[in-house]
Amino acid sequence: MLYSDKVMDHFMNPRNVGKIDDANGIGEVGNAKCGDIMKVYLKVEDGIIEDVKFCTFGCASAIATSSIATEMIKGKTLDEAWDLSNKAVVEALDGLPTAKIHCSVLAEEAVKAAIEDYRAGKAPGEQDCDACCLTPTLVPAIATSWSDKLEAD
Ligand code: FES
């Protein structure tokens, strides 16, 4: 089978899906090539990640990697969460197909973006899309990249 049982489990039953209304760290990243977008919400108290949720618009591996990444950082210090590597995410999922390794990179980047946002001390308050709870900030870039690609084809 292409995917491990763990990938299928996290894809079919993703953990920590949703948003945190009073999040104090939010990270959103995207891959313009595949069009997948990931958003991670952190609730940090006394340097500990008390709660974490995610919204991902993407493939099965993107959903599975976001799900397990949130499990791996919940209850951890910010420094421990910062050290979460895409390699550790892949290992925790019992592997990913080579073509899907970049999905795990997106999960690592989303966690780091949320930590950076927390450390920057920005107040949350972005306007979320009701349908997928992703902000539209990355969507125009991805739409442009797709239209460029279509024109080039
Ligand atoms: Fe790009 Fe999954 S195919 S993140």
Side-chain angles (χ1 to χ4, degrees), residues 34 36 59 62 100 102-103 106:
C34 64
D36 291 0
C59 68
K100 293 291 177 179
H102 77 273
C103 314
L106 215 52

Side-chain angles (χ1 to χ4, degrees), residues 59-135:
C59 68
S61 300
I63 290 164
T65 55
S66 335
S67 169
I68 204 158
T70 58
E71 280 199 326
M72 292 169 84
I73 65 168
K74 198 168 186 175
K76 297 282 169 56
T77 66
L78 287 173
D79 287 344
E80 286 169 338
W82 184 267
D83 287 340
L84 180 77
S85 67
N86 81 296
K87 194 167 173 279
V89 169
V90 172
E91 281 171 9
L93 286 171
D94 293 336
L96 276 177
T98 308
K100 293 291 177 179
I101 295 295
H102 77 273
C103 314
S104 65
V105 173
L106 215 52
E108 178 188 334
E109 288 176 352
V111 169
K112 284 188 163 68
I115 294 172
E116 275 179 342
D117 184 58
Y118 170 79
R119 286 178 169 157
K122 280 188 284 171
E126 297 162 84
Q127 194 61 47
D128 285 338
C129 157
D130 286 340
C132 60
C133 70
L134 293 166
T135 58

